[in-house]
Amino acid sequence: MEYRPRYSQPFTLEEARQLAVPIITEEIARLQNSLVHLRRTQDELQDALAGSPGDADLKEAYEENEDVIGSQKERITILRMVLVEKGVPMGAHYDVPQAQSRPGGAAAPTASPVQPNGRTENGEEAGNRDGITNDDGGVYL
């Protein structure tokens, strides 16, 4: 199966196939957590842009984040494809987290339930909702 990513990725589908399932699932969790934080940042940038519509730096940051979000969603898709190939049953746990809408149409971050391992579904430690995380840097190939 050939897959052509839209965004530049740090690994190919073939390279992802070489990863062990636990590494893949950990990377998916890390990316899901990152997406939650990026969406929160996007909400803040939207609010700031509403107050300063001509601010080029805010607009550039917003657009750059949109590209990062697209790239990370695509990376999750690639990793999910590998999990399917390896016979891992798919469920909502490995999905790209969807933003919930707030009044005014803006997205609100979704809260993840605590899993048996004491972490939330997006990989954060339970109770670590203030945005402070241990960044392990992801998968290095």
Side-chain angles (χ1 to χ4, degrees), residues 81-96:
M81 289 168 57
V82 172
L83 289 178
V84 168
E85 288 177 6
K86 291 180 180 257
V88 175
M90 287 293 103
H93 180 75
Y94 299 118
D95 287 346
V96 174

Side-chain angles (χ1 to χ4, degrees), residues 44-117:
E44 293 169 2
L45 286 170
Q46 279 181 333
D47 292 344
L49 279 167
S52 303
D55 190 321
D57 289 335
L58 289 175
K59 185 175 180 182
E60 180 181 359
Y62 183 86
E63 291 169 357
E64 286 175 3
N65 280 356
E66 285 297 310
D67 286 341
V68 172
I69 289 168
S71 177
Q72 289 187 356
K73 283 181 175 181
E74 183 176 71
R75 203 169 309 155
I76 290 171
T77 299
I78 292 168
L79 294 169
R80 288 187 79 223
M81 289 168 57
V82 172
L83 289 178
V84 168
E85 288 177 6
K86 291 180 180 257
V88 175
M90 287 293 103
H93 180 75
Y94 299 118
D95 287 346
V96 174
Q98 300 299 316
Q100 297 174 342
S101 60
R102 297 188 307 193
T110 57
S112 297
V114 176
Q115 301 298 306
N117 65 0

Side-chain angles (χ1 to χ4, degrees), residues 26-40:
E26 287 174 20
E27 180 65 0
I28 289 172
R30 186 190 72 79
L31 290 165
Q32 289 171 329
N33 182 53
S34 177
L35 286 169
V36 168
H37 292 285
L38 281 164
R39 287 193 179 106
R40 183 175 28 206

